Every structure is written in structure tokens, then in C-alpha cells.
Amino acid sequence: MLNIIFSLIALPYAPNALEPVISRETMEYHYGKHLQTYVDNLNKLVAGTEFEAMPLEEIVAKSQGAIFNNAGQILNHNLYFLQFKPYEDPKFETINPKSEILKAIIRDFGSFGAFQAEFEQKGTTLFGSGWVWLAADKEGKLVITQEPNAGNPVTKGLKPLLTMDVWEHAYYIDYRNRRAAHLHSLWQIIDWSEINRRYTE
Ligand code: MN
């Protein structure tokens, strides 16, 4: 029997809690099958190697090839799925106006709306599969990065804060080819208290 080194994260919400932004069916495939497969693959790949005892972030920083791809996808999806909160009324303001993350967004992008527009534009124009990220440098300055395939801003020395997955498996069941519509919709379920926690920790 294969030794379990990495395991599937537990979700802090029910599989249908993000509807109608992300359907239960998408969760069953994206979390239940795609992420599970990356976990199973990494457990097979690292067994008996120097990576066996490393935290995910360190594997992503030090590995290449198949180990990097699977470890990166686990780290990316863990950050992705743990940044959501159950869907409520999208008319509610969900970001604390006094939070450090909002102050930094306004300082570095001019306004919350300007930040959202740039983030969506960079997610929409990323060619092929990958991830768009909000990340912070060592001084706390915020940047938006486009990362192809399994990329994560930790490889550039940045702290990852918020991400949107632009692999087709993230949106094709619910939005078909409409990636931009999917990205625009995701703001409704972002848990900004979690993003602020990542920024200030
Ligand atoms: Mn994905």
C-alpha cells in the first residue's frame, strides 16, 4: 500500500455552498477529481526522494518537471479553494473598509475597482492554462502576476494572496468558453478576511 504523504485538503464549506458562482458539479470534478489526482500523483512521485519530507512551498521552490507540476497544482488549488466563502447576496460589501489588504490595494492600484479590472484583464488574456495571482513582495507592495500551467508567485520570491484558476476545468461546466464571465463572477465568493490574514501574517 502506498504511503500517504500529502492528502486532500478539507473544505470549510459544503460542495454546493458556492452556487450559483461555482456549481456542485464543478466542485465534484475540480476538487474531487482534478485536485485528488494531483495529490495521488505527487505521493507516488516523491516516495523515497528528498522531497518526501518537505512542505509544499519548498517543493515548488526547489523542484522541476512532474514533481513541480503536481506540487504546484496542489499548492495553487489549496490557496484557491480556501479563499472562498459561501455565496450570499452579492450586493453586500464583503471587504472590510478598514482592512490592511484594502488599504494596500488602494495604495498600489488607485482603487478597488481598478484592481479588479486589472486582475480580470490579466486572467482573461493569459494564453492557455494557468493562474492569475495577487501577491506581495517583501515590503508588502502588491503585484498581479500571470503564471502559466502550475506556476505560483513563490518561485519569484513573492507571497501568494489571492488567485483565479484559468484552466478550462475550472469553468467549462458552468460557463463553457466564457472565461471572462467566470472571473468576474468569482468576486462574489472571495473571503477577504482570509486574503487579509494571508497578507498580514
Ligand atoms: Mn484547477
Side-chain angles (χ1 to χ4, degrees):
M1 193 182 136
L2 185 67
N3 209 9
I4 302 294
I5 302 156
F6 297 97
S7 52
L8 190 66
I9 52 158
L11 295 179
Y13 44 77
N16 64 347
L18 307 182
E19 292 185 339
V21 177
I22 297 175
S23 69
R24 179 193 193 105
E25 187 183 3
T26 289
M27 291 300 294
E28 285 167 359
Y29 278 87
H30 196 186
Y31 166 80
K33 295 187 190 293
H34 287 279
L35 180 51
Q36 181 69 64
T37 299
Y38 296 128
V39 170
D40 293 344
N41 286 346
L42 189 65
N43 281 326
K44 288 179 199 147
L45 287 163
V46 299
T49 75
E50 60 180 314
F51 298 109
E52 203 171 35
M54 280 185 201
L56 271 177
E57 289 82 353
E58 194 178 346
I59 299 178
V60 171
K62 292 182 175 171
S63 67
Q64 293 175 324
I67 291 180
F68 172 83
N69 287 334
N70 285 281
Q73 285 294 74
I74 298 169
L75 179 62
N76 296 350
H77 284 95
N78 289 356
L79 289 163
Y80 176 79
F81 286 118
L82 295 177
Q83 73 187 354
F84 296 134
K85 62 177 180 54
Y87 177 86
E88 294 163 336
D89 187 332
K91 290 192 291 291
F92 276 97
E93 181 59 75
T94 56
I95 185 163
N96 182 342
K98 294 188 172 139
S99 61
E100 292 304 312
I101 186 67
L102 182 58
K103 288 181 202 162
I105 285 171
I106 291 169
R107 181 194 66 209
D108 294 334
F109 298 98
S111 71
F112 191 63
F115 153 71
Q116 287 180 303
E118 182 181 336
F119 197 92
E120 287 180 40
Q121 191 268 339
K122 285 194 167 157
T124 304
T125 57
L126 200 170
F127 187 77
S129 296
W131 301 78
V132 58
W133 293 89
L134 176 68
D137 71 12
K138 297 221 162 27
E139 284 73 48
K141 180 177 162 42
L142 299 176
V143 289
I144 298 171
T145 73
Q146 294 172 311
E147 307 291 339
N149 302 312
N152 186 298
V154 294
T155 60
K156 298 168 175 166
L158 299 168
K159 183 201 273 190
L161 303 174
L162 164 76
T163 192
M164 293 189 189
D165 184 345
V166 304
W167 285 60
E168 287 187 349
H169 68 222
Y171 59 90
Y172 231 79
I173 291 171
D174 299 331
Y175 297 81
R176 297 303 175 188
N177 58 316
R178 296 180 302 124
R179 184 197 285 186
H182 170 65
L183 298 181
H184 187 68
S185 189
L186 284 177
W187 298 118
Q188 299 173 73
I189 53 170
I190 299 295
D191 178 0
W192 282 99
S193 65
E194 170 63 12
I195 310 304
N196 190 61
R197 190 193 65 73
R198 292 175 187 177
Y199 181 60
T200 56
E201 78 177 2

